[in-house]
Amino acid sequence: MSKHLLSGLGVATLLAAPAAAADQPLLARWTGPYGGVPPFDRVEVAQFQPELEAGMAEQLAEIEQIAADPAEPSFQNTIAALEGTGRTLDRVANVYGVWSSTMNSQEFQAVEREMAPKLAAFSDRITQNERLFARIAKVYETRETSGLTAEQQRLVWLDYTNFVRAGAKLDADAKKRLSEINQKLAALFTQFNQNVLSDEESYVLVLETDADLAGLPDSLRSAAAAAATSRGHEGKWAVLNTRSSMEPFLTYSDRRDLREKVWRTYYSRGDNGDEKDTNALITEILKLRAERAKLLGFATHAHWRLENTMAKTPERAMELLEAVWKPAVARVHEEVADMQAIADAEAATSGTAKITIEPWDYRYYAEKVRKAKYDLDENEVKPYLQLEKLREAMFWVAGELFGFQFTPVTNVPVYQPDVRVWEVKNPQGGHVGVWYFDPYARQGKRSGAWMNAYRSQERFEREITTIVSNNSNFVKSKEGDPILVSWTDAETMFHEFGHALHGLSSNVTYPSLAGTAVARDYVEFPSQLLEHWLPTPEVLNRFALHFQTGKPIPQELVAKIERASTFNQGFQTVEYLASALVDMKLHLAGDVTIDPDTFERETLAALGMPKEIVMRHRTPHFSHIFSSDSYSAGYYSYLWSDTLTADAAEAFVEAGGYYDRTVAKRLVDHVFSVGNTVDPADAYRAFRGKDPGIGALMRKRGFPEPAVAGGAK
Ligand SMILES: [Zn+2]
């Protein structure tokens, strides 16, 4: 869906915005510094529905005015005019989105269930407006001869394509059915989301005694104690049913029985046969998606979804996934052999029964192999990874590569006292944007980490600057104690900050083309690339400081991290690829009734999935693909983007290092600043001087390179 339909931003110029009543603050233009900021201090959940409805009504009136314009359709009176619509709705919808992901209460969930189908129907009313589409089509026909700039031509193409993809060319009956499907899907997505969130929040493993904590390092013990307190189990310890609680527990707990319990609980989310079970929802979602694809003239949902991506067809995406699958599985077998040897030796030494490596043993024994092979103990690294120091490290990298300066500010409202805000400036001291940071886990906040754009950059009516946030789920420490994070979590912080920098670097005219509004299999490229700056000595020596001594991480430890960089890539690649392959196959299956459990089991068996690994996201809680359409038939995007990422990282290495100013400038000029104003393949070529092959990706993961290079071109 094009951005202005639901989430563009700015000020309505075509019609005066309705005067906002005192109790409807979200309808008003944002006030305060930086061209206005979200009024997070004035939100009332009960107001979302009337405010969203007022926003929708206003945009429909604006659309009607464009559609009914007696003047000949032109870029200005149609395409540019569309960019200016929906400003009020965008403001409300952005705050609504923040509540959905980070302040999701029971009261809010009721509003979501009510509003999801209404918002879907609203979108369809715009894309199905025939007079509006006729005008867009007219502008599209003459886009190359009517004196438009390259960016304007790209916007015309985008609008036209999005309208056609949303069914603008269908007959009246098909349009009606399409809208019914979209409304049903919106309701199912909401239900799926709420069920998974419920399974994450309602299952907590409370550890009662010291024996239950065997193997856990101090930092984990205190995090588990804090988690228990937050759930009303003062004096005990708790493992929450989230990735950031599950992963470290499975890595360190000596208690095999508890590891299995935590593993089973986590990977059964949505799959417990109770009222929160998502299997039936998934069957229905897949059926409706298949029907919609047919209506729109595509063989399957996957073909429809991939049409406007870099990969363009499911076949090309599958080709890349399959090229990496075999070497990754081969690596898993090697990893398991290494782990089994350690487990056998342990059994021999202690005189206990031999075990066979099971999925709940993988992280635990992998850690032991890491120690044995590379003499690297994650626990030795962790004391050097302080959350706040890593944040400073990210700011420093942004300064080196982008010239950005971050200054903390307290002059803007926040939705939660933990949220902190920084103003971003350019080297000349000019205002670039605002960055919000919401780092801690709490109830009502979805798990994982993400970037959220509150406002996109644009300048076609007036200069509007970027407002973005980074969100994660670190367990809060006791007052004053620094929070120590794992290496993986540190990488994730850099990743999400990469998305934020992509938004902040945006330098375009029209909001629909700004920042991260790019093809789904391209959007992870800038974010993944930023992860490469974490292990640089420049960052580690300055910011990886021991939380007690303040001393920088020893060179010897940095060298070990470097040597172990491809360690466990079999596990990481296979757990990811299994999810990507199942996603694609579910959406290539077409119009058949799918039982998700059976489909998953049979697909993995046919692929030769190693029995010691489970999908990173099992089907019943695969939120990427079932909480909205956005990553459906799109989980492959991370690997596709990584072919670009790995190749782009080599551009820096070839130039002498990650802080090479010339390559950094090319990266900003051709990738970070251009948003969707340029075709991504062209943008990449302009940066790199060539297309990426699969070689750099395989080198990055330590896999043998195939004789014939394929992959992202
Ligand atoms: Zn990402």
Side-chain angles (χ1 to χ4, degrees):
M1 199 75 358
S2 77
K3 194 168 189 333
H4 52 254
L5 297 183
L6 271 181
S7 57
L9 294 143
V11 182
T13 51
L14 295 162
L15 294 174
D23 58 349
Q24 297 194 320
L26 301 188
L27 295 179
R29 291 183 190 187
W30 291 353
T31 57
Y34 320 123
V37 291
F40 287 133
D41 54 340
R42 299 170 64 201
V43 176
E44 278 177 52
V45 171
Q47 285 302 321
F48 276 126
Q49 177 167 356
E51 286 170 319
L52 284 168
E53 278 171 356
M56 287 191 280
E58 182 187 311
Q59 187 170 7
L60 286 177
E62 291 165 348
I63 294 284
E64 194 44 42
Q65 187 157 326
I66 297 171
D69 190 342
E72 271 294 293
S74 69
F75 178 86
Q76 286 306 332
N77 72 19
T78 305
I79 306 294
L82 265 175
E83 289 290 289
T85 68
R87 303 289 198 179
T88 302
L89 178 61
D90 290 335
R91 286 193 297 272
V92 184
N94 279 301
V95 176
Y96 176 74
V98 171
W99 253 251
S100 173
S101 53
T102 75
M103 305 283 281
N104 202 312
S105 61
Q106 292 292 333
E107 186 194 5
F108 183 82
Q109 294 199 351
V111 179
E112 263 190 321
R113 286 193 295 271
E114 172 83 21
M115 292 313 296
K118 287 187 180 176
L119 287 163
F122 162 77
S123 263
D124 286 330
R125 276 188 70 178
I126 296 176
T127 48
Q128 297 188 357
N129 184 317
E130 285 177 12
R131 284 173 305 153
L132 177 64
F133 178 64
R135 294 183 73 87
I136 294 171
K138 200 75 191 252
V139 180
Y140 177 75
E141 278 159 27
T142 57
R143 71 194 181 282
E144 280 163 4
T145 54
S146 51
L148 301 181
T149 66
E151 181 177 345
Q152 289 169 335
Q153 286 189 41
R154 178 98 181 147
L155 181 59
V156 174
W157 167 83
L158 183 73
D159 276 355
Y160 178 80
T161 308
N162 281 339
F163 270 69
V164 172
R165 286 177 50 71
K169 284 181 164 176
L170 299 181
D171 65 29
D173 282 350
K175 277 181 177 154
K176 184 165 168 281
R177 178 61 190 152
L178 186 73
S179 188
E180 282 167 15
I181 292 174
N182 284 334
Q183 291 171 60
K184 279 190 188 171
L185 279 171
L188 289 164
F189 296 154
T190 306
Q191 195 59 59
F192 178 91
N193 233 353
Q194 296 185 356
N195 285 12
V196 173
L197 184 63
S198 166
D199 273 2
E200 286 176 352
E201 295 199 327
S202 53
Y203 290 85
V204 178
L205 176 69
V206 178
L207 305 175
E208 305 278 345
T209 68
D210 228 39
D212 293 342
L213 307 178
L216 302 186
D218 285 346
S219 61
L220 267 187
R221 286 175 188 228
S222 63
T229 305
S230 78
R231 298 302 173 96
H233 301 280
E234 191 86 41
K236 290 179 181 164
W237 302 267
V239 186
L240 305 183
N241 200 21
T242 62
R243 182 174 294 280
S244 46
S245 282
M246 173 277 292
E247 274 184 337
F249 188 83
L250 292 194
T251 305
Y252 295 112
S253 173
D254 291 334
R255 287 282 300 271
R256 194 169 191 237
D257 58 333
L258 294 179
R259 290 205 305 269
E260 180 174 354
K261 202 167 185 176
V262 167
W263 183 89
R264 286 196 188 280
T265 309
Y266 185 76
Y267 288 101
S268 299
R269 287 170 298 141
D271 201 20
N272 292 306
D274 56 11
E275 81 276 13
K276 301 294 180 189
D277 191 288
T278 58
N279 283 283
L281 300 175
I282 292 168
T283 303
E284 217 178 325
I285 288 172
L286 292 170
K287 236 188 149 73
L288 289 166
R289 280 178 173 162
E291 185 190 343
R292 181 177 57 185
K294 276 264 156 61
L295 267 178
L296 291 166
F298 290 85
T300 69
H301 179 72
H303 289 88
W304 177 59
R305 288 300 298 167
L306 270 81
E307 186 210 30
N308 65 349
T309 62
M310 274 189 95
K312 297 211 162 45
T313 66
E315 290 75 21
R316 289 194 67 207
M318 286 294 282
E319 199 184 312
L320 174 65
L321 297 175
E322 282 167 354
V324 185
W325 174 254
K326 275 203 181 112
V329 170
R331 178 58 46 82
V332 165
H333 293 317
E334 293 168 19
E335 289 172 7
V336 171
D338 284 344
M339 296 189 285
Q340 191 64 55
I342 288 188
D344 290 351
E346 278 183 359
T349 316
S350 63
T352 50
K354 276 196 177 186
I355 63 148
T356 305
I357 301 293
E358 297 285 352
W360 44 91
D361 299 319
Y362 209 112
R363 291 174 178 86
Y364 180 75
Y365 283 101
E367 200 47 41
K368 298 192 176 213
V369 173
R370 192 202 309 267
K371 236 176 186 164
K373 267 198 159 167
Y374 301 96
D375 189 27
L376 179 62
D377 181 349
E378 270 254 304
N379 272 323
E380 249 179 89
V381 180
K382 210 172 175 180
Y384 295 95
L385 300 178
Q386 304 176 56
L387 176 66
E388 294 303 322
K389 287 287 166 201
L390 288 165
R391 177 185 52 69
E392 287 172 27
M394 301 189 316
F395 289 175
W396 182 80
V397 168
E400 292 294 305
L401 297 181
F402 299 82
F404 289 160
Q405 306 301 323
F406 288 71
T407 318
V409 296
T410 52
N411 56 344
V412 305
V414 291
Y415 51 87
Q416 228 276 339
D418 289 338
V419 177
R420 286 169 289 158
V421 187
W422 280 261
E423 186 192 0
V424 188
K425 289 184 179 166
N426 62 28
Q428 293 74 43
H431 176 75
V432 169
V434 190
W435 185 76
Y436 289 59
F437 189 41
D438 181 1
Y440 307 123
R442 64 176 169 271
Q443 255 183 309
K445 188 173 177 181
R446 72 173 232 227
S447 68
W450 66 95
M451 171 273 214
N452 189 358
Y454 299 162
R455 186 173 71 196
S456 303
Q457 176 270 335
E458 65 172 279
R459 57 163 168 271
F460 86 108
E461 289 168 345
R462 64 188 177 98
E463 197 70 45
I464 292 178
T465 52
T466 305
I467 305 181
V468 290
S469 71
N470 277 172
N471 307 269
S472 45
N473 273 282
F474 296 108
V475 178
K476 225 172 158 177
S477 61
K478 269 187 290 181
E479 200 62 54
D481 285 0
I483 293 175
L484 302 179
V485 310
S486 69
W487 184 262
T488 318
D489 281 342
E491 282 179 335
T492 304
M493 283 179 71
F494 272 69
H495 177 104
E496 299 308 333
F497 192 62
H499 284 309
L501 291 173
H502 194 185
L504 288 163
S505 305
S506 182
N507 184 14
V508 306
T509 308
Y510 299 99
S512 290
L513 301 172
T516 51
V518 298
R520 193 189 46 225
D521 51 5
Y522 187 69
V523 74
E524 298 301 330
F525 158 47
S527 56
Q528 288 173 345
L529 187 60
L530 209 84
E531 295 173 28
H532 287 257
W533 273 265
L534 169 63
T536 60
E538 289 86 344
V539 161
L540 295 178
N541 292 333
R542 282 181 180 81
F543 301 100
L545 307 179
H546 194 280
F547 78 105
Q548 283 162 328
T549 65
K551 289 213 170 92
I553 188 166
Q555 285 309 313
E556 198 192 300
L557 201 48
V558 175
K560 284 183 200 170
I561 294 171
E562 173 78 42
R563 276 200 298 277
S565 69
T566 58
F567 174 73
N568 219 28
Q569 277 299 324
F571 175 83
Q572 284 177 27
T573 306
V574 165
E575 70 158 4
Y576 160 78
L577 280 177
S579 286
L581 285 160
V582 168
D583 164 34
M584 199 58 91
K585 286 171 189 274
L586 280 167
H587 291 109
L588 281 170
D591 191 13
V592 291
T593 300
I594 290 176
D595 172 54
D597 265 355
T598 314
F599 188 93
E600 178 182 302
R601 200 166 43 248
E602 288 174 357
T603 303
L604 293 176
L607 282 168
M609 177 77 165
K611 66 172 181 46
E612 299 85 1
I613 297 189
V614 68
M615 292 162 71
R616 183 172 172 86
H617 309 282
R618 282 198 55 234
T619 316
H621 46 251
F622 203 164
S623 297
H624 283 84
I625 68 173
F626 297 122
S627 71
S628 75
D629 277 326
S630 73
Y631 269 80
S632 58
Y635 197 62
Y636 80 89
S637 300
Y638 292 93
L639 191 72
W640 190 276
S641 289
D642 207 24
T643 58
L644 306 176
T645 307
D647 188 61
E650 290 191 352
F652 280 94
V653 175
E654 287 159 16
Y658 281 100
Y659 297 88
D660 183 89
R661 304 266 163 176
T662 314
V663 184
K665 185 175 182 315
R666 280 213 311 270
L667 185 69
V668 174
D669 290 349
H670 298 296
V671 177
F672 275 76
S673 67
V674 299
N676 197 11
T677 60
V678 184
D679 178 89
D682 294 341
Y684 189 80
R685 219 170 287 125
F687 158 67
R688 186 65 163 118
K690 67 179 178 77
D691 288 325
I694 196 176
L697 174 77
M698 300 302 265
R699 286 188 287 279
K700 177 178 172 181
R701 294 180 186 231
F703 298 155
E705 285 171 56
V708 184
K713 289 263 170 65

